[in-house]
Amino acid sequence: MSLPATKISPMSSPQDLAKYLEKKNLIDGKLVSPQSGAYFKVLNPATMETVCEMPQSGASDVESAILSAEKAQKAWKEVSAEKRGRLISQCADLLEAHQEELAQLMTLETGKAIRTESRLEAGVFANSFRYYAGLAMEIKGETIPHSPTTLTMTVREPIGVVGAIIPWNVPLLLMALKVAPALVAGNSIVVKSSEEAPLAVLRAAELINSILPAGLLNMISGDGPGTGAILATHPKIAKLTFTGSVETGKIVYGLSAQKLAPVTLELGGKSPMIICEDVDVDKVVQGAVTSMRFTRQGQSCTAASRIFIHATIFDAFLEKLKAKVNALKMGNPFDETTDIGTIISPAQYEKVLKYIEIGKLASGAKAHTCSQLPEKAPFSKGLYIQPVLFTGLSNDHQLAQEEIFGPVTCLIPWKSFEDVIQMANDSEYGLAATIWTNDLCKALNAVHQLEAGFVQVNQNNVVMPGLSYGGFKSSGLGKEASFEAMIDHFTRKKTIIMNLRS
Ligand code: NAI
Ligand code: MG
């Protein structure tokens, strides 16, 4: 495949690339220093070394990014859908060519294992651009048989400048699910990256900017209250799209409400995995390992963090699951043999350890601690946490109700189907759920009754371009990743009536 002409060639090492991006935002097509003059440190959580410093952007940086995006959007909305799609498709080619480089940079800043996590994510990242590029010419309205004397129709228009606030757990993919549909639909976008993972997304934004007109995609870094809240409040941000915690989701929803701007929220979960007595235990144990997302230290909003196992197979399941999790290797995230990387930050590390302590203190609880911490420096200093399977905790315990975002799972036995569905739904969250059975009737009953936006039978795959993804209840508002998500959340509908008798 011949690549589109670009001056950007893959860099030699993630460390070099981090130095190249250091202290920069991407505004109006250029890597620029922040006007704020303030910076924060980016940590490599596998070694506790500082990777580089990045801008703590202030109001004037946010303002520059939004003004540049506003100007660029005026021209972009006049570009034909065919050309917009073609350019986004070229971005997909370029991002694919830089997959390894982006994966390595993400591993450096997040501690995610390169083989089990970062490389896969960087691949889906490029694919998401390809998926949306192909939909550019499908953005269309309707004609309505309103009356014989009028021609009545709707058109779908871009909204304007979109603000996006993204988290650190899957930064590239979550960026793509916002940036690609927003741009394809004719908007421009200003992204605030997470203070824990600003590098891979910035490099990706630079690559995209080597193809698209300047200003369409601007990327700034900074913390939540100092940068994110300013972006969310800005009157020129016509639409906000956010992924992160429920607490912050409520804050940005409130800020957008003040100016009546539409909002999409993707806010985490406490996803149930229901295992029936008729399954092949070995197969489902493997499915549980994938579902718990322990290779990402459980830092996933769709992680199965509550596993409901039929009482008749509980003990056999537990033993086999322990053996599988024990076999996962923790260590240098760049090592191709490593399965599990690190927790993202010292704050998250403390938070997860606290939850584990609370669980151990509960009466009747047993913590099954698996796998081995790395012993050799520098990884012995890293933010590694041994995965813990808890038994003896009921579904109403704090550990089974709150999102831990760490390698901690509650295993809960069940006997009656009615009870297990009730326990699965007894949660403030409603993002994802899975049911594992060979009984079609049971599977369909569960699918029908589970209160979750993303329900899978006999598998637990991650978000895929093309499939609507988004939670019920406190897990969020709106959908991402699909055609419908682009139409509903990145366009506005205009109704037009032409009087044919005038
Ligand atoms: P967070 O919700 O604080 O951060 C997510 C993003 O929002 C970041 O870019 C952050 O800078 C920004 N932000 C924070 N406060 C803001 C404010 N007042 N106004 C505007 N933007 C703001 O999440 P955090 O602290 O990184 O993680 C805490 C917990 O959130 C995790 O333990 C996990 O439970 C949950 N979480 C869920 C995610 C998901 O995929 N659903 C992703 C990340 C975190
Ligand atoms: Mg970091």
Side-chain angles (χ1 to χ4, degrees), residues 355-424:
Y355 272 112
I356 294 172
E357 283 317 305
I358 292 171
K360 284 179 176 170
L361 290 175
S363 96
K366 183 148 197 276
H368 307 265
T369 304
C370 304
S371 191
Q372 295 300 319
L373 293 173
E375 283 169 2
K376 285 199 190 129
F379 304 106
S380 51
K381 297 189 198 131
L383 302 177
Y384 294 87
I385 292 183
Q386 284 175 284
V388 184
L389 304 169
F390 270 104
T391 54
L393 289 177
S394 62
N395 187 54
D396 54 11
H397 189 273
Q398 190 183 354
L399 263 71
Q401 288 293 318
E402 295 175 11
E403 188 179 41
I404 300 173
F405 237 57
V408 181
T409 305
C410 297
L411 305 184
I412 300 169
W414 62 274
K415 286 188 181 138
S416 116
F417 189 70
E418 248 177 31
D419 288 350
V420 76
I421 296 289
Q422 198 184 337
M423 282 193 287

Side-chain angles (χ1 to χ4, degrees), residues 1-4 76 81-97 126-136 180 183-184 208 211-212:
M1 182 189 70
S2 69
L3 295 176
W76 183 239
E82 189 268 337
K83 184 157 182 211
R84 288 204 302 261
R86 191 190 292 257
L87 287 170
I88 299 295
S89 172
Q90 285 175 19
C91 292
D93 290 342
L94 186 60
L95 295 170
E96 197 171 274
N127 276 341
S128 305
F129 280 82
R130 193 174 310 290
Y131 166 72
Y132 276 113
L135 294 174
L183 293 178
V184 166
I208 293 166
I211 291 171
L212 298 184

Side-chain angles (χ1 to χ4, degrees), residues 334-374:
F334 282 100
D335 187 329
E336 296 289 337
T337 65
T338 293
D339 299 300
I340 304 182
T342 68
I343 297 282
I344 186 76
S345 65
Q348 282 292 118
Y349 181 78
E350 294 303 326
K351 179 182 156 188
V352 175
L353 288 180
K354 199 166 148 218
Y355 272 112
I356 294 172
E357 283 317 305
I358 292 171
K360 284 179 176 170
L361 290 175
S363 96
K366 183 148 197 276
H368 307 265
T369 304
C370 304
S371 191
Q372 295 300 319
L373 293 173

Side-chain angles (χ1 to χ4, degrees), residues 99-306:
Q99 176 182 356
E100 184 61 22
E101 172 203 280
L102 292 170
Q104 291 201 16
L105 195 52
M106 188 164 54
T107 284
L108 182 69
E109 63 185 331
T110 64
K112 295 205 290 184
I114 189 85
R115 176 180 56 83
T116 56
E117 291 291 335
S118 298
R119 201 173 281 138
L120 301 179
E121 183 185 334
V124 187
F125 174 63
N127 276 341
S128 305
F129 280 82
R130 193 174 310 290
Y131 166 72
Y132 276 113
L135 294 174
M137 289 199 286
E138 289 300 321
I139 301 172
K140 45 199 173 194
E142 307 125 341
T143 52
I144 301 153
H146 179 63
S147 111
T149 61
T150 61
L151 175 60
T152 306
M153 58 197 159
T154 63
V155 291
R156 287 282 177 178
E157 295 179 342
I159 301 176
V161 182
V162 173
I165 298 177
I166 57 173
W168 42 263
N169 59 329
V170 260
L172 284 175
L173 176 60
L174 297 175
M175 168 193 170
L177 298 184
K178 294 168 173 25
V179 169
L183 293 178
V184 166
N187 305 283
S188 60
I189 186 163
V190 176
V191 180
K192 189 204 81 68
S193 58
S194 162
E195 54 275 48
E196 314 293 355
L199 293 172
V201 291
L202 182 62
R203 175 61 169 168
E206 189 197 17
L207 294 167
I208 293 166
N209 266 271
S210 72
I211 291 171
L212 298 184
L216 281 182
L217 165 60
N218 294 324
M219 168 109 22
I220 52 178
S221 61
D223 68 11
T227 313
I230 295 173
L231 180 70
T233 314
H234 200 287
K236 287 190 169 159
I237 293 295
K239 150 91 198 176
L240 189 79
T241 170
F242 171 84
T243 302
S245 64
V246 175
E247 293 80 1
T248 312
K250 286 178 183 168
I251 293 172
V252 298
Y253 195 25
L255 295 175
S256 296
Q258 294 307 310
K259 51 179 186 175
L260 297 178
V263 177
T264 314
L265 301 173
E266 205 276 272
L267 306 178
K270 193 75 192 174
S271 301
M273 169 176 189
I274 299 175
I275 304 171
C276 298
E277 65 272 41
D278 65 337
V279 297
D280 173 339
V281 172
D282 288 315
K283 254 196 203 158
V284 179
V285 162
Q286 189 50 52
V289 172
T290 313
S291 298
M292 295 187 298
R293 313 276 193 257
F294 278 0
T295 53
R296 202 191 300 153
Q297 288 274 35
Q299 300 172 131
S300 158
C301 41
T302 52
S305 46
R306 297 181 295 150

Side-chain angles (χ1 to χ4, degrees), residues 421-500:
I421 296 289
Q422 198 184 337
M423 282 193 287
N425 286 338
D426 183 12
S427 164
E428 80 162 294
Y429 294 104
L431 185 57
T434 63
I435 166 98
W436 303 67
T437 179
N438 293 313
D439 181 332
L440 183 62
C441 196
K442 244 183 208 161
L444 290 177
N445 266 305
V447 166
H448 190 58
Q449 293 180 56
L450 285 167
E451 292 170 2
F454 200 63
V455 181
Q456 300 180 62
V457 179
N458 293 332
Q459 66 164 34
N460 188 349
N461 290 346
V462 292
V463 183
M464 281 156 284
L467 301 182
S468 270
Y469 176 77
F472 297 167
K473 304 196 278 189
S474 288
S475 289
L477 284 178
K479 299 290 177 192
E480 292 197 307
S482 61
F483 174 65
E484 160 207 10
M486 173 169 71
I487 296 294
D488 290 351
H489 301 300
F490 293 108
T491 71
R492 59 186 184 191
K493 187 188 246 187
K494 181 180 279 176
T495 302
I496 302 165
I497 311 176
M498 293 175 66
N499 185 338
L500 301 178

Side-chain angles (χ1 to χ4, degrees), residues 50-73:
T50 298
V51 174
C52 65
E53 292 193 351
M54 293 302 282
Q56 170 55 46
S57 307
S60 50
D61 301 301
V62 175
E63 184 74 20
S64 304
I66 293 174
L67 291 182
S68 153
E70 185 187 33
K71 189 163 158 248
Q73 199 264 335

